[in-house]
Amino acid sequence: MEDIFDLYKRWFSENGIICNIDEDGDLHFRYQMCNFYIINPHDDKQFLQVMLPNIWSIEDEKERTDALQVANMLNMKRKALKVFITSTNTVLTVEMFIDNTPDVEDFMERVLDLLIQGRTLFAQEMRNRRQ
């Protein structure tokens, strides 16, 4: 069976997206001027986690509270999107189960677009709260 990262790398190559394996063993690539990662599933080859990290820096406690509220709203309203607030930053992920030989064409572009839309919506909501 082909390694799952080989399937992703082939899809990226066919779509003109350069990718590489980083020092953690995750697949890193740029799409629409953003850095994305597909986290290495190690022991669960039927799990896909695509991450868009560092979309919004958390500067103080008010901003953290606002970010948590926006994250909660997006987590409730957006299918498959997860928003995480760390101590200093915001991370978006899409996590899903896949079969052993997924047809990456069926879902990858939608996953990436969902993360880009999530980033845009998060930023808009945070800016609205500053006004």
Side-chain angles (χ1 to χ4, degrees), residues 50-85:
V50 183
M51 179 182 293
L52 177 55
N54 306 321
I55 66 154
W56 191 275
S57 296
I58 306 298
E59 304 294 330
D60 57 35
E61 201 53 40
K62 174 168 181 356
E63 189 166 40
R64 180 175 175 70
T65 299
D66 287 346
L68 287 168
Q69 291 171 351
V70 173
N72 191 47
M73 183 265 304
L74 288 175
N75 286 337
M76 288 187 321
K77 291 186 175 186
R78 292 291 168 181
K79 295 176 188 172
L81 183 69
K82 288 186 177 182
V83 183
F84 298 95
I85 309 302

Side-chain angles (χ1 to χ4, degrees), residues 8-114:
Y8 301 142
K9 288 190 285 189
R10 184 174 341 113
W11 185 85
F12 290 130
S13 176
E14 290 169 358
N15 287 279
I17 300 169
I18 298 170
C19 63
N20 58 57
I21 305 293
D22 70 8
E23 61 277 357
D24 295 327
D26 302 323
L27 187 64
H28 170 255
F29 59 97
R30 288 188 54 81
Y31 178 76
Q32 294 190 9
M33 299 176 48
C34 294
N35 286 303
F36 288 85
Y37 296 87
I38 296 180
I39 305 306
N40 189 328
H42 297 293
D43 60 349
D44 190 353
K45 300 300 183 193
Q46 292 181 300
F47 181 71
L48 171 66
Q49 181 183 29
V50 183
M51 179 182 293
L52 177 55
N54 306 321
I55 66 154
W56 191 275
S57 296
I58 306 298
E59 304 294 330
D60 57 35
E61 201 53 40
K62 174 168 181 356
E63 189 166 40
R64 180 175 175 70
T65 299
D66 287 346
L68 287 168
Q69 291 171 351
V70 173
N72 191 47
M73 183 265 304
L74 288 175
N75 286 337
M76 288 187 321
K77 291 186 175 186
R78 292 291 168 181
K79 295 176 188 172
L81 183 69
K82 288 186 177 182
V83 183
F84 298 95
I85 309 302
T86 69
S87 58
T88 60
N89 224 306
T90 306
V91 177
L92 301 179
T93 68
V94 169
E95 299 175 359
M96 58 192 248
F97 293 106
I98 56 175
D99 64 21
N100 287 328
T101 55
D103 186 350
V104 180
E105 185 71 33
D106 287 347
F107 60 83
M108 189 59 75
E109 191 169 358
R110 185 171 181 190
V111 166
L112 298 177
D113 288 344
L114 178 62

